[in-house]
Amino acid sequence: MAVINDLIDRISDPELRRRINDEVVRLQQQKKFGLVFEEHLPEATPLYDVPINVKSLVARKDGYFKEFFRVKRIEGNVLFCEREDDSHEQVELQKNEAVAVALFGEPIYPYLKPMDAVKNAPDSDLWHTLIEADNYHALQLLVYLYGGMVDCIYIDPPYNTGAKDWKYNNDYVESTDSYRHSKWLSMIKKRLLLAKQLLNPNDSVLIVTIDEKEYLRLGCLLEELFPEADIQMITSVIMPSGSSRTGRFGRADEYIFFCFIGESKVTPWKTDMLRDAPESNVPVRWNGLIRNGEGSRRSRIPSLFYPILLDKNTGKLVSIEDPIPPTMMVEEYLVPEGLVAMWPIDKAGNELMWRLYPPTLREYFRLGYAKLGKRDKKSGYRPISYLQSGMIDKIKAGQIRIIGKDKEGALELEYVEGGKSYAPLTVWNRVSHSAAEHGSGILKKILLKRHFPFPKSVYAVEDSLRFVVANKPNALIVDFFAGSGTTLQAVNLLNAEDGGHRRCIMVTNNEVSEAEAKSLRKQGYQPGDEEWEKYGIARYVNWPRTVCSIEGHDINGHLLKGNYLGIDIPMQDGFKANAKFFKLGFLDKNSVAAYRQFRELLSLLWMKAGAIGECPTLKGKEIPEYLILTENKMAILTEEWAYAKFMDEMKDRQDIKTVFLVVDSEIGFREMAAPLKWAKTYQLYKDYLENFTINYEK
């Protein structure tokens, strides 16, 4: 910095010198330590549903939205534009070759356009959702809908390898771009900042998969964005045969970051993840009674220092005595004739403590939860072990079977089949996680010749989720890099296994593959054309997979063959689940404020109310003065003058959990919402407009 300051001092123009100095100071204050990268801007999303007007920001449909133009005037089908850069070049574009765009960080007013639905559980109110959208704007919407409410986010973001099979998955920037790592970080940071607002700050987990291209930078970024989280990185073998690297080690694994937030924790499972099946004849673990290690000295808890008396000749337990006074020496304790006193003293002579208080230990011996070990011939001591509370709980739950008692009354135990559970290790090596067999293989079984590169094994995703939501049967799970739709299939599989009611929200864009894009352009099609869009990820891969896996058939309607691994669930049975497919669209702010967009916003209100029951639709052109939607557990007052009639019908309607009130005045809203104490209430359209007027670039 001394050199820069010296150069600044040489600037003769005082105003220029001051401005440059101020800018350097600002840059110095931004980041001094940690991960430093360029905050590349802008990214943009096409607004195919938004008409192009004077002052609209547009881009060419056939590009990757790197060049932007401001419309100055329109004559027929010709747009007279000015390039949005320092050149201000005047450019003419044909209307049909341009699309309105929104730069990331600009206010947007989203809605959800229904595209399709699959219903295989008519008696269930559980509805998953797929949103076709650029995930940045979809995340803005999800923050409005579920801020601080999400239990788990699982994402498999672009690995930045430069592959061009599907640009969305890998090729965010060109492989030759000298800023490729910086641009990737800028892209992922924007989305993680929004993801953080989604997660429950008291108990939630963010899961991010990555490979060797960006794992170091991603790790640093996660540390920076989630300083409050406990972060672990898992090594997961996904290609046992290995992927060759010329002149380097073949690669068989990738990495999974787990960011544990608040009280979240890992749930043990039947394997430690280093093997495919639990070990046979695993002995039930008894814990040693003597405590050792830091903080185990007698002086810390004197009441855990007491003698245990054994018969000197037979070695049998005689009694468990009360603690001796803290000032009393062991040598001062009078041992009755014919007995041996055992103390919690290690081989070095350090006075430690037992792990259980005398009354508890006496009860454990009575119940068979504590036992004596082999007798030391020299000292007469016998080590004591006991069952920790977790093991006792497993006995009560039937996971551990009592097969008898030894001659001194201690329980003899064994695990029932599948009863043993392990704390999973940080290296996962399971055949079921192979991406070739259980990622591409399962996708091919469903979609036949439709191609999607490198889908995750459905079992690898299921295991990742199980460890953090096994004890949350109603968890809300989000995947905003959903790709081929593995996460939803994994959630359905997990629900089928344990009877859960977990809900999954997927977000993916509708990019077509590189090869398909070339072919479509030769035929004269452009992004936004129906013939183009039907080959995109969301419509050509994710949604067909979602429908087929739920209904149990392939895309030609033939029943799927085989069972899901490890469980007796035939694939042809599908899943008792429902799913709704939406496309993210954008509304005009003034039209929303004028109450002219209720029909478009109804799906969004359904989502905000918890996506309970089938998404409602309006029949006819008229908007009802109010709606009480029992199946959806929500109600909407659309006309303020109908409030009295609305409240007459809302009396004792404790089944309605969410209420939307269309009212201009905030004071009026508070007065109208006051009687609805049992429900969550929202003011329309103020709540919606204020949320999306905020610039999310923060």
Side-chain angles (χ1 to χ4, degrees):
M1 291 308 300
V3 174
I4 293 176
N5 290 333
D6 182 61
L7 292 172
I8 291 174
D9 289 339
R10 298 181 189 180
I11 299 173
S12 58
D13 185 334
E15 178 60 17
L16 179 60
R17 184 170 63 246
R18 182 191 65 79
R19 291 182 61 185
I20 292 178
N21 185 71
D22 290 346
E23 189 65 12
V24 169
V25 170
R26 185 184 68 82
L27 291 171
Q28 285 178 297
Q29 292 173 345
Q30 281 186 349
K31 287 183 182 178
K32 293 184 179 179
F33 304 102
L35 192 65
V36 180
F37 58 94
E38 295 289 333
E39 299 284 1
H40 294 273
L41 287 174
E43 286 186 64
T45 192
L47 309 177
Y48 293 113
D49 296 334
V50 175
I52 297 174
N53 299 309
V54 174
K55 296 185 179 180
S56 291
L57 186 68
V58 300
R60 288 190 175 94
K61 284 183 179 180
D62 61 353
Y64 289 126
F65 309 117
K66 295 178 180 179
E67 296 181 308
F68 307 105
F69 310 90
R70 186 70 62 181
V71 178
K72 295 301 183 180
R73 73 179 194 276
I74 302 175
E75 295 181 7
N77 290 322
V78 180
L79 306 177
F80 293 87
C81 307
E82 181 177 282
R83 189 184 294 274
E84 285 274 298
D85 59 18
D86 293 338
S87 72
H88 302 294
E89 178 187 358
Q90 303 302 301
V91 177
E92 293 181 17
L93 299 174
Q94 292 297 312
K95 210 171 189 179
N96 63 357
E97 69 179 10
V99 60
V101 296
L103 299 183
F104 289 13
E106 292 183 340
I108 51 95
Y109 303 94
Y111 78 103
L112 294 171
K113 178 182 178 181
M115 301 291 287
D116 199 0
V118 55
K119 189 175 182 179
N120 202 39
D123 298 329
S124 173
D125 63 3
L126 173 64
W127 281 78
H128 305 297
T129 46
L130 166 64
I131 301 174
E132 175 192 320
D134 180 280
N135 56 16
Y136 182 84
H137 290 309
L139 282 168
Q140 287 182 310
L141 173 60
L142 291 177
V143 169
Y144 168 66
L145 298 176
Y146 303 118
M149 298 167 59
V150 173
D151 298 289
C152 177
I153 292 177
Y154 176 98
I155 55 172
D156 180 27
Y159 285 3
N160 208 18
T161 64
K164 293 180 180 291
D165 298 60
W166 295 81
K167 186 176 181 65
Y168 188 84
N169 263 21
N170 263 340
D171 193 23
Y172 177 68
V173 291
E174 300 295 332
S175 59
T176 56
D177 192 329
S178 60
Y179 287 98
R180 62 190 303 251
H181 299 297
S182 184
K183 288 181 178 179
W184 184 89
L185 283 166
S186 180
M187 180 275 295
I188 201 72
K189 178 185 176 182
K190 293 188 190 79
R191 290 152 177 83
L192 289 177
L193 284 171
L194 290 171
K196 185 172 184 177
Q197 297 179 55
L198 278 176
L199 291 164
N200 180 347
N202 300 314
D203 183 359
S204 61
V205 178
L206 168 67
I207 306 172
V208 189
T209 66
I210 201 70
D211 73 358
E212 77 272 26
K213 297 293 188 301
E214 297 291 356
Y215 82 101
L216 291 171
R217 298 169 186 85
L218 176 62
C220 290
L221 183 63
L222 291 172
E223 291 279 2
E224 179 181 306
L225 300 183
F226 296 88
E228 75 283 9
D230 186 8
I231 301 175
Q232 283 190 292
M233 189 180 79
I234 304 301
T235 298
S236 177
V237 176
I238 63 163
M239 192 178 296
S241 60
S243 175
S244 62
R245 301 284 195 270
T246 303
R248 298 292 183 267
F249 298 107
R251 187 157 191 84
D253 61 344
E254 65 179 15
Y255 307 112
I256 311 174
F257 282 101
F258 282 78
C259 301
F260 297 95
I261 298 169
E263 299 299 317
S264 59
K265 59 183 67 174
V266 173
T267 302
W269 196 41
K270 63 184 180 182
T271 173
D272 60 12
M273 301 302 286
L274 272 175
R275 52 184 62 84
D276 280 289
E279 296 175 342
S280 58
N281 302 319
V282 177
V284 174
R285 186 173 182 271
W286 294 70
N287 203 47
L289 184 65
I290 189 169
R291 182 178 298 186
N292 48 38
E294 188 177 352
S296 300
R297 294 301 177 97
R298 170 189 179 183
S299 57
R300 181 168 169 262
I301 308 179
S303 55
L304 285 173
F305 189 83
Y306 54 87
I308 298 173
L309 302 182
L310 305 180
D311 185 287
K312 183 180 291 186
N313 296 319
T314 64
K316 290 186 176 181
L317 176 68
V318 174
S319 65
I320 298 165
E321 299 295 299
D322 292 330
I324 64 175
T327 57
M328 184 177 183
M329 305 285 287
V330 170
E331 292 78 8
E332 298 177 290
Y333 181 80
L334 183 62
V335 182
E337 185 70 27
L339 302 182
V340 173
M342 296 197 303
W343 302 90
I345 299 176
D346 65 15
K347 293 181 180 180
N350 297 310
E351 294 183 345
L352 306 174
M353 63 176 83
W354 302 116
R355 294 181 183 272
L356 301 176
Y357 291 98
T360 303
L361 185 57
R362 293 176 192 130
E363 181 68 5
Y364 271 34
F365 268 109
R366 186 184 73 80
L367 296 172
Y369 294 163
K371 64 180 180 180
L372 292 161
K374 188 175 181 181
R375 186 180 183 189
D376 183 273
K377 294 181 180 180
K378 184 176 180 180
S379 65
Y381 276 29
R382 297 180 67 186
I384 299 175
S385 54
Y386 72 101
L387 294 173
Q388 292 181 301
S389 58
M391 294 296 179
I392 296 172
D393 290 342
K394 289 182 179 182
I395 294 173
K396 295 176 180 178
Q399 295 173 280
I400 295 176
R401 181 188 301 118
I402 300 173
I403 57 176
K405 291 186 177 182
D406 67 16
K407 60 183 180 180
E408 293 182 296
L411 296 179
E412 294 178 336
L413 306 165
E414 69 177 10
Y415 280 101
V416 300
E417 186 177 353
K420 172 66 175 173
S421 61
Y422 299 80
L425 302 176
T426 57
V427 176
W428 297 358
N429 185 16
R430 308 195 73 220
V431 171
S432 62
H433 287 196
S434 171
E437 287 80 6
H438 307 297
S440 298
I442 286 180
L443 196 60
K444 185 177 180 180
K445 183 180 291 190
I446 296 172
L447 300 184
L448 305 178
K449 294 182 179 181
R450 296 187 185 185
H451 175 64
F452 183 88
F454 310 119
K456 288 283 183 290
S457 161
V458 67
Y459 307 109
V461 178
E462 184 195 15
D463 285 345
S464 298
L465 296 174
R466 176 190 286 107
F467 289 133
V468 297
V469 298
N471 296 325
K472 296 180 180 179
N474 298 306
L476 177 58
I477 298 164
V478 171
D479 180 354
F480 55 87
F481 282 105
S484 69
T486 306
T487 301
L488 178 54
Q489 190 173 2
V491 170
N492 279 332
L493 186 56
L494 186 57
N495 282 341
E497 286 190 53
D498 65 9
H501 202 69
R502 302 171 187 87
R503 180 159 65 100
C504 181
I505 300 172
M506 296 188 297
V507 179
T508 186
N509 70 15
N510 203 41
E511 290 280 358
V512 302
S513 69
E514 185 77 8
E516 197 68 58
K518 290 180 180 178
S519 173
L520 289 168
R521 285 194 179 98
K522 286 182 180 179
Q523 299 174 60
Y525 297 111
Q526 297 177 338
D529 295 341
E530 185 56 36
E531 190 64 24
W532 181 292
E533 297 298 319
K534 73 179 185 181
Y535 291 107
I537 298 172
R539 304 186 197 182
Y540 192 64
V541 179
N542 188 306
W543 182 244
R545 176 191 187 156
T546 297
V547 173
C548 291
S549 64
I550 288 177
E551 294 183 340
H553 57 77
D554 64 24
I555 56 171
N556 288 338
H558 301 133
L559 293 177
L560 295 172
K561 296 179 180 179
N563 290 5
Y564 286 102
L565 289 182
I567 54 175
D568 190 23
I569 299 179
M571 288 187 176
Q572 69 177 34
D573 286 358
F575 297 110
K576 297 301 179 184
N578 311 303
K580 188 73 175 177
F581 177 20
F582 296 105
K583 179 182 178 182
L584 189 71
F586 300 91
L587 301 173
D588 176 73
K589 175 185 177 182
N590 296 326
S591 295
V592 175
Y595 302 170
R596 295 199 299 267
Q597 306 281 194
F598 176 78
R599 193 180 301 274
E600 287 80 4
L601 288 174
L602 185 56
S603 298
L604 184 148
L605 301 182
W606 170 74
M607 286 280 286
K608 192 168 181 66
I612 300 168
E614 192 165 356
C615 183
T617 57
L618 290 181
K619 296 180 180 179
K621 296 181 179 180
E622 297 297 320
I623 304 297
E625 56 199 30
Y626 61 83
L627 297 91
I628 298 178
L629 303 167
T630 302
E631 180 186 353
N632 309 119
K633 299 182 181 180
M634 73 177 187
I636 309 166
L637 175 68
T638 63
E639 297 290 352
E640 189 174 347
W641 56 262
Y643 177 71
K645 192 192 302 186
F646 174 73
M647 288 305 296
D648 283 342
E649 291 203 34
M650 283 293 291
K651 287 180 180 177
D652 303 319
R653 291 299 303 267
Q654 302 288 325
D655 58 318
I656 301 299
K657 302 301 182 184
T658 308
V659 177
F660 301 95
L661 303 171
V662 177
V663 54
D664 289 327
S665 164
E666 188 169 343
I667 295 175
F669 166 72
R670 291 176 183 173
E671 291 176 351
M672 294 165 68
L676 301 165
K677 298 183 185 300
W678 67 88
K680 291 183 179 178
T681 55
Y682 300 95
Q683 180 184 359
L684 292 180
Y685 293 92
K686 184 175 184 292
D687 174 79
Y688 171 87
L689 289 171
E690 286 189 353
N691 180 82
F692 291 105
T693 300
I694 296 171
N695 188 324
Y696 272 79
E697 191 71 33
K698 63 180 182 179

